[in-house]
């Protein structure tokens, strides 16, 4: 099979499909016709590596049907091993002249052929003059000279190549001016090169800086420049730093080794390279945000103006409906802003340099706050005492003053993010000193809200006072409604009160927001911590700003796919949780349903009002081990009362016969459990106990069977001699095809149906007790002895739980057998087949399911489940009903919110495209070439936004 892969987009075909293509190729000898059919049906476009008109289904079918094991022929590495001698020989052959051993130049055919280029796709040798002529457009290619026995590195400068700036390639200048000391160093993607550069000194010549820039070379200085880097190198490193987080030091020294891997180059231009990289980042920032199109110029840039905004968040004037302030109250929540605040203590900075020596090139123009104002504010409030957190386990706040900060100028950074889409906010980043102080975080929070005109804010963090902030950072509490939340992942670390009052799961009008957006972004930025910690303050802020901007831009590009994925998930989850709640709601009595709804709605209006009852707070007392043992004793007493001391009377009614039979089956289960629980080495005492239990059980069964024969004579011929616990009692549901009194079947149905419900209630009780005991054990039980006793108690509960499960399944099978005989319909609506995954507690503290995705099993949603035997049972059902209602509401809100966000994204891109179109006419240009560049860039940016939309 023959397939041509585009060298520009190797990733266009998935690894699994490449494997199938290779597998198909390896099978072509045995299946030539089928291979030809597949290969004829597939073609690729070299430009974008997409499927043209080929039959993609052929590959998809191959992916499904190909199940054979991978062999040696399928692994290219194993195949290559047999050919490595050939590869090695060819690599060594290239160290010589190969096929080009002629002594004369292949181009001029007169001079000796001594030079070969490592960067040209041409292995022929040329003379010095022809080599220079060939490389006028490519002055940074690496040249090697044949010494007669081996190739040695040389340079185009040594061969006489001079680069004339200010003129077209090949043109000469009447007044050329050599670079300073005739020494010029150019850094390119293939190494560091010594160049012979001539500047133009004609009457119409431009400055040396402009001549270099128009050549695509970025000069280090504006006065007598002697060092430059190509635009392609700076662009290459810029993108590489975003994706691999490679430091400038590592990148520069890799270029040194490309130039000379022996280590003989001594000229170090690392600091020069760092300076050019920093200037390049800054200029690209200004270019991307239209500062070159503004008549005011770069100096007119405002704080936060060079930040990539979130298209899905409400941006007044950009993606909001013109009448959004007049929207109905029921829709106002759709225009709220979700913010998340977090800190990162890995992004430290050593106490190196200062702002005076190393200032930032952008003064708060993107994500970091303006440093001078920030430090001035911190200095004014340096003496204020840090407020201690009243919640638990908040060492980042309570121990802020004790954080190790020796030798550090910044212990980390704090950020304010878009909580739903994980965008860094403009002016929402700042340094921390000695831990996570409220004063730092407050300043960042109100800085990013500067000039905010939205009416509703949802904030996932603890916020401090606003009065201490500068007046420019104040917002009106009378106009803006602010709600505070705790991120979902951090919620369990807070006290019980916080877990309901500040939870995204239970508050209205937040959808499925989790508030954990900043945590997702730290993994991307943490990789630069090792290089930024040793930078000066300005360089570090500029570098982090650049990385934050790239993070935001990648979020913009992926926003469409992200929102579609979230919508697909929300549609499925909404339907599931709505159906689950309706099922649960139908099982609750109408009185409870009405009362609980009113209670929940009242709390949702003002969850912070202490006078309003919190319906999500459990009012029952936790079961202790002593209480659990008491409960177990009571359950065993009820079992003994039902079956162990059963007295039989010769005059037995049919209903008593069936009830006694069910009790005997339960006693058989107990004896069988004792028999199965014995180990390999059974003592005589244990054997004696088991025999006595079997004898008692057999006498009871024989007494009961004497009455059974009166009602079902057929059982006489069905009796077998086995252990007492294995004797078949032949109750009505077991007599398939045998005559049986219909009254007995009806009595059996009624008693078995009631027994199924009793067993389910007993099973629910076991699950409650076991869950409480597990929680108690985890929090309070320590030491080997205590743990052993706790494990024994848990084993007893678990055994009871398993027994209840088996008893219910026996009852379920009996009901399924009797239902057709008695023509019972509708009974399955309440009882269902009990699977292992259905046996789960009402609230499982060890479950991996999140609160917003948790589903109750059917055993907790049966009619009458809210009328438990004690108040604690009903209280648990009450809380879970409220949570089930909240889950259904949050998913419904999520769909509404996602629809609004999708609309906002499209409108934002449309606004941004129009904004770029307006920029092309703002600046009055001196030349036509300059205007053409401005217009072209504006059109390009507008086109990108329309493509994104």
């Amino acid at each position: 099979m023959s397939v041509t892969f585009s060298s520009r987009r190797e990733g266009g075909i998935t690894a699994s499909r490449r494997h199938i293509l290779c597998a198909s190729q390896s099978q072509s000898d045995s299946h030539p016709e089928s291979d030809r059919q597949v290969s004829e049906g597939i073609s690729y476009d070299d430009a974008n590596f997409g499927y043209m008109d080929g039959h993609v289904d052929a590959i998809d079918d191959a992916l499904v049907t190909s199940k054979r094991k991978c062999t040696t022929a399928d692994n290219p590495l194993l195949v290559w091993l047999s050919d490595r001698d050939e590869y090695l020989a060819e690599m060594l052959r290239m160290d010589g002249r190969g096929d080009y051993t002629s002594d004369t130049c292949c181009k001029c055919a007169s001079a000796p052929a001594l030079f070969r280029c490592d960067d040209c796709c041409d292995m022929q040798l040329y003379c010095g003059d022809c080599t220079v002529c060939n490389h006028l457009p490519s002055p940074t290619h690496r040249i090697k000279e044949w010494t007669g026995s081996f190739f040695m590195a040389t340079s185009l400068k040594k061969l006489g190549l001079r680069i004339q700036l200010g003129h077209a390639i090949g043109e000469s200048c009447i007044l050329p001016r050599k670079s300073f000391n005739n020494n010029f160093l150019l850094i390119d993607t293939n190494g560091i090169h010594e160049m012979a550069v001539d500047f133009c000194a004609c009457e119409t010549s431009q400055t040396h800086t402009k001549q270099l820039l128009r050549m695509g070379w970025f000069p280090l200085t504006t006065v007598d420049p002697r060092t430059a880097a190509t635009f392609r190198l700076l662009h290459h490193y810029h993108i590489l730093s975003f994706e691999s987080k490679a430091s400038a030091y590592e990148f520069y020294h890799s270029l040194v080794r490309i130039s000379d891997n022996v280590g003989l180059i001594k000229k170090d231009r690392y600091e020069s390279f760092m300076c050019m990289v920093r200037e390049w980042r800054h200029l690209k920032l200004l270019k991307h945000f239209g500062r070159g199109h503004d008549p005011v110029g770069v100096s007119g840039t405002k704080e936060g103006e060079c930040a990539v905004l979130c298209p899905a968040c409400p941006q007044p004037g950009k993606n909001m409906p013109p009448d959004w302030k007049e929207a109905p109250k029921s829709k106002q929540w759709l225009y709220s802003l979700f913010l998340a605040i977090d800190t990162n203590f890995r992004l430290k900075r050593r106490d190196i340099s200062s702002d005076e020596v190393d200032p930032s090139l952008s003064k708060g123009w993107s994500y970091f706050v303006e440093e001078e104002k920030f430090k001035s504010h911190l200095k004014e409030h340096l003496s204020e005492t840090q407020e201690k957190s009243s919640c638990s386990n908040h060492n980042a706040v309570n121990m802020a003053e004790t954080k190790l900060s020796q030798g550090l100028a910044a212990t980390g950074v704090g950020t304010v993010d878009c909580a739903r889409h994980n965008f860094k906010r403009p002016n929402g980043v700042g340094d921390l000193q000695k831990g996570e102080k409220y004063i730092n975080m407050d300043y960042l929070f109100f800085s990013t809200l500067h000039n905010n005109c939205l009416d509703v804010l949802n904030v996932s963090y603890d916020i401090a006072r606003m009065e201490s902030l500068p007046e420019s950072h104040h917002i009106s509490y009378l106009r803006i409604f602010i709600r505070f939340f705790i991120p979902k992942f951090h919620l369990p670390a807070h006290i019980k009160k916080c877990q309901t009052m500040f939870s995204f799961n239970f508050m209205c009008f937040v959808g499925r927001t989790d508030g954990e957006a900043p945590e997702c972004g730290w993994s991307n930025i943490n990789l630069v911590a090792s290089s930024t910690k040793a930078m000066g303050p300005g360089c570090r802020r500029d570098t982090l700003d650049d990385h934050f901007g790239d993070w935001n831009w990648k979020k913009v590009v992926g926003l469409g796919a992200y929102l579609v994925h979230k919508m697909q998930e929300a549609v499925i989850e909404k339907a599931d949780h709505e159906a689950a709640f309706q099922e649960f709601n139908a099982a609750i009595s109408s009185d409870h349903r009405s009362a609980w709804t009113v209670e929940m709605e009242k709390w949702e209006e003002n969850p912070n009002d202490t006078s309003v009852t919190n319906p999500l707070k459990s009012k029952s007392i936790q079961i202790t081990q002593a209480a659990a043992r008491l409960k177990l004793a009571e359950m065993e007493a009820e079992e003994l009362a039902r079956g162990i001391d059963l007295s039989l009377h010769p005059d037995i009614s049919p209903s008593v016969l069936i009830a006694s039979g069910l009790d005997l089956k339960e006693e058989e289960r107990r004896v069988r459990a004792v028999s199965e629980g014995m180990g390999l080495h059974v003592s005589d005492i244990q054997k004696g106990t088991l025999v006595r239990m079997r004898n008692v059980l057999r006498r009871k069964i024989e007494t009961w069977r004497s009455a059974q024969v009166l009602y079902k004579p057929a059982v006489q011929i069905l009796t077998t001699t086995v252990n007492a616990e294995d004797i078949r009692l032949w109750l009505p549901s077991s007599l398939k095809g045998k005559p049986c009194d219909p009254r007995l079947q009806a009595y059996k149905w009624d008693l078995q149906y009631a027994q199924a419900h009793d067993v389910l209630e007993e099973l629910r009780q076991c699950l409650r007790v076991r869950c409480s005991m597990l929680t108690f054990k985890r929090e309070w039980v320590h030491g080997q002895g205590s743990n052993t006793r706790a494990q024994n108690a848990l084993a007893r509960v678990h055994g009871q739980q398993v027994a209840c499960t088996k008893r219910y399944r026996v009852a379920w099978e009996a009901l399924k057998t009797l239902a057709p005989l008695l023509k019972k319909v509708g009974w399955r609506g309440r009882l269902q087949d009990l699977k292992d995954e259905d046996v789960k507690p009402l609230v499982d503290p060890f479950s991996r399911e999140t609160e917003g995705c948790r589903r109750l099993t059917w055993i907790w949603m049966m009619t009458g489940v809210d009328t438990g035997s004690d108040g604690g049972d009903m209280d648990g059902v009450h809380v879970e009903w409220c949570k089930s209602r909240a889950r259904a509401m949050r998913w419904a809100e999520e769909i509404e919110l996602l629809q609004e966000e999708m609309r906002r994204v499209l409108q934002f891109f449309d606004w941004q495209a129009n904004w770029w179109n307006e920029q092309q006419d703002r600046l009055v240009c001196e030349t036509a070439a300059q205007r053409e560049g401005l217009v072209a860039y504006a059109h390009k940016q507008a086109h990108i936004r329309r493509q994104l939309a």
Side-chain angles (χ1 to χ4, degrees), residues 56-72:
V56 181
D57 292 340
I59 290 182
D60 292 333
D61 292 341
L63 285 168
V64 175
T65 58
S66 179
K67 300 294 184 182
R68 64 186 181 84
K69 293 183 179 179
C70 182
T71 63
T72 302

mmCIF file of all heavy atoms in Angstrom, residues 56-72:
data_model
loop_
_atom_site.group_PDB
_atom_site.id
_atom_site.type_symbol
_atom_site.label_atom_id
_atom_site.label_comp_id
_atom_site.label_asym_id
_atom_site.label_seq_id
_atom_site.Cartn_x
_atom_site.Cartn_y
_atom_site.Cartn_z
ATOM 1 N N VAL A 56 -12.932 6.575 4.123
ATOM 2 C CA VAL A 56 -12.399 6.531 5.478
ATOM 3 C C VAL A 56 -12.914 5.319 6.227
ATOM 4 O O VAL A 56 -12.265 4.779 7.116
ATOM 5 C CB VAL A 56 -12.779 7.823 6.230
ATOM 6 C CG1 VAL A 56 -12.200 7.810 7.634
ATOM 7 C CG2 VAL A 56 -12.282 9.028 5.462
ATOM 8 N N ASP A 57 -14.111 4.857 5.813
ATOM 9 C CA ASP A 57 -14.679 3.694 6.496
ATOM 10 C C ASP A 57 -13.776 2.477 6.386
ATOM 11 O O ASP A 57 -13.784 1.596 7.242
ATOM 12 C CB ASP A 57 -16.048 3.352 5.905
ATOM 13 C CG ASP A 57 -17.069 4.426 6.216
ATOM 14 O OD1 ASP A 57 -16.816 5.179 7.176
ATOM 15 O OD2 ASP A 57 -18.089 4.509 5.517
ATOM 16 N N ALA A 58 -12.970 2.385 5.301
ATOM 17 C CA ALA A 58 -12.088 1.232 5.149
ATOM 18 C C ALA A 58 -11.102 1.156 6.296
ATOM 19 O O ALA A 58 -10.828 0.081 6.840
ATOM 20 C CB ALA A 58 -11.340 1.316 3.808
ATOM 21 N N ILE A 59 -10.548 2.331 6.696
ATOM 22 C CA ILE A 59 -9.609 2.349 7.817
ATOM 23 C C ILE A 59 -10.340 2.104 9.120
ATOM 24 O O ILE A 59 -9.874 1.377 9.996
ATOM 25 C CB ILE A 59 -8.856 3.691 7.855
ATOM 26 C CG1 ILE A 59 -7.897 3.762 6.666
ATOM 27 C CG2 ILE A 59 -8.075 3.838 9.147
ATOM 28 C CD1 ILE A 59 -7.076 5.019 6.622
ATOM 29 N N ASP A 60 -11.530 2.718 9.289
ATOM 30 C CA ASP A 60 -12.283 2.513 10.524
ATOM 31 C C ASP A 60 -12.638 1.045 10.715
ATOM 32 O O ASP A 60 -12.565 0.507 11.812
ATOM 33 C CB ASP A 60 -13.555 3.362 10.507
ATOM 34 C CG ASP A 60 -13.229 4.842 10.579
ATOM 35 O OD1 ASP A 60 -12.164 5.165 11.146
ATOM 36 O OD2 ASP A 60 -14.015 5.654 10.081
ATOM 37 N N ASP A 61 -13.040 0.368 9.609
ATOM 38 C CA ASP A 61 -13.343 -1.052 9.711
ATOM 39 C C ASP A 61 -12.106 -1.847 10.074
ATOM 40 O O ASP A 61 -12.153 -2.793 10.860
ATOM 41 C CB ASP A 61 -13.919 -1.557 8.383
ATOM 42 C CG ASP A 61 -15.297 -0.961 8.097
ATOM 43 O OD1 ASP A 61 -15.917 -0.474 9.060
ATOM 44 O OD2 ASP A 61 -15.725 -0.980 6.925
ATOM 45 N N ALA A 62 -10.973 -1.426 9.505
ATOM 46 C CA ALA A 62 -9.724 -2.137 9.823
ATOM 47 C C ALA A 62 -9.365 -1.986 11.290
ATOM 48 O O ALA A 62 -8.851 -2.902 11.924
ATOM 49 C CB ALA A 62 -8.593 -1.619 8.941
ATOM 50 N N LEU A 63 -9.649 -0.791 11.853
ATOM 51 C CA LEU A 63 -9.371 -0.567 13.268
ATOM 52 C C LEU A 63 -10.188 -1.490 14.147
ATOM 53 O O LEU A 63 -9.736 -1.956 15.188
ATOM 54 C CB LEU A 63 -9.676 0.891 13.633
ATOM 55 C CG LEU A 63 -8.670 1.926 13.151
ATOM 56 C CD1 LEU A 63 -9.249 3.316 13.330
ATOM 57 C CD2 LEU A 63 -7.379 1.804 13.906
ATOM 58 N N VAL A 64 -11.422 -1.757 13.715
ATOM 59 C CA VAL A 64 -12.315 -2.592 14.516
ATOM 60 C C VAL A 64 -11.987 -4.062 14.356
ATOM 61 O O VAL A 64 -11.958 -4.830 15.314
ATOM 62 C CB VAL A 64 -13.776 -2.316 14.133
ATOM 63 C CG1 VAL A 64 -14.707 -3.257 14.880
ATOM 64 C CG2 VAL A 64 -14.127 -0.865 14.431
ATOM 65 N N THR A 65 -11.721 -4.490 13.099
ATOM 66 C CA THR A 65 -11.575 -5.924 12.826
ATOM 67 C C THR A 65 -10.175 -6.446 13.070
ATOM 68 O O THR A 65 -9.978 -7.640 13.247
ATOM 69 C CB THR A 65 -11.972 -6.208 11.376
ATOM 70 O OG1 THR A 65 -11.143 -5.432 10.502
ATOM 71 C CG2 THR A 65 -13.431 -5.824 11.130
ATOM 72 N N SER A 66 -9.164 -5.564 13.060
ATOM 73 C CA SER A 66 -7.787 -6.038 13.231
ATOM 74 C C SER A 66 -7.516 -6.309 14.699
ATOM 75 O O SER A 66 -7.340 -5.403 15.482
ATOM 76 C CB SER A 66 -6.801 -4.999 12.696
ATOM 77 O OG SER A 66 -5.490 -5.456 12.892
ATOM 78 N N LYS A 67 -7.513 -7.560 15.078
ATOM 79 C CA LYS A 67 -7.314 -7.954 16.480
ATOM 80 C C LYS A 67 -6.057 -8.809 16.667
ATOM 81 O O LYS A 67 -5.785 -9.286 17.759
ATOM 82 C CB LYS A 67 -8.533 -8.746 16.978
ATOM 83 C CG LYS A 67 -9.840 -7.973 16.910
ATOM 84 C CD LYS A 67 -9.834 -6.801 17.867
ATOM 85 C CE LYS A 67 -11.171 -6.089 17.878
ATOM 86 N NZ LYS A 67 -11.169 -4.932 18.766
ATOM 87 N N ARG A 68 -5.315 -9.046 15.572
ATOM 88 C CA ARG A 68 -4.163 -9.933 15.699
ATOM 89 C C ARG A 68 -3.050 -9.279 16.515
ATOM 90 O O ARG A 68 -2.956 -8.062 16.593
ATOM 91 C CB ARG A 68 -3.642 -10.322 14.317
ATOM 92 C CG ARG A 68 -3.102 -9.155 13.502
ATOM 93 C CD ARG A 68 -2.748 -9.602 12.087
ATOM 94 N NE ARG A 68 -2.214 -8.492 11.317
ATOM 95 C CZ ARG A 68 -0.947 -8.115 11.355
ATOM 96 N NH1 ARG A 68 -0.117 -8.729 12.155
ATOM 97 N NH2 ARG A 68 -0.510 -7.111 10.616
ATOM 98 N N LYS A 69 -2.188 -10.081 17.073
ATOM 99 C CA LYS A 69 -1.102 -9.565 17.888
ATOM 100 C C LYS A 69 -0.039 -8.902 17.023
ATOM 101 O O LYS A 69 0.188 -9.289 15.877
ATOM 102 C CB LYS A 69 -0.480 -10.707 18.700
ATOM 103 C CG LYS A 69 -1.423 -11.289 19.753
ATOM 104 C CD LYS A 69 -0.721 -12.355 20.559
ATOM 105 C CE LYS A 69 -1.648 -12.922 21.632
ATOM 106 N NZ LYS A 69 -0.992 -13.973 22.422
ATOM 107 N N CYS A 70 0.625 -7.898 17.611
ATOM 108 C CA CYS A 70 1.691 -7.193 16.900
ATOM 109 C C CYS A 70 2.892 -8.122 16.729
ATOM 110 O O CYS A 70 3.351 -8.749 17.678
ATOM 111 C CB CYS A 70 2.094 -5.939 17.669
ATOM 112 S SG CYS A 70 3.364 -4.974 16.847
ATOM 113 N N THR A 71 3.402 -8.229 15.503
ATOM 114 C CA THR A 71 4.550 -9.077 15.218
ATOM 115 C C THR A 71 5.770 -8.222 14.909
ATOM 116 O O THR A 71 5.693 -6.998 14.861
ATOM 117 C CB THR A 71 4.248 -9.998 14.031
ATOM 118 O OG1 THR A 71 4.028 -9.185 12.866
ATOM 119 C CG2 THR A 71 3.005 -10.843 14.294
ATOM 120 N N THR A 72 6.897 -8.883 14.648
ATOM 121 C CA THR A 72 8.129 -8.160 14.326
ATOM 122 C C THR A 72 7.964 -7.298 13.093
ATOM 123 O O THR A 72 8.497 -6.188 13.013
ATOM 124 C CB THR A 72 9.278 -9.174 14.121
ATOM 125 O OG1 THR A 72 9.416 -9.949 15.300
ATOM 126 C CG2 THR A 72 10.578 -8.459 13.797
#
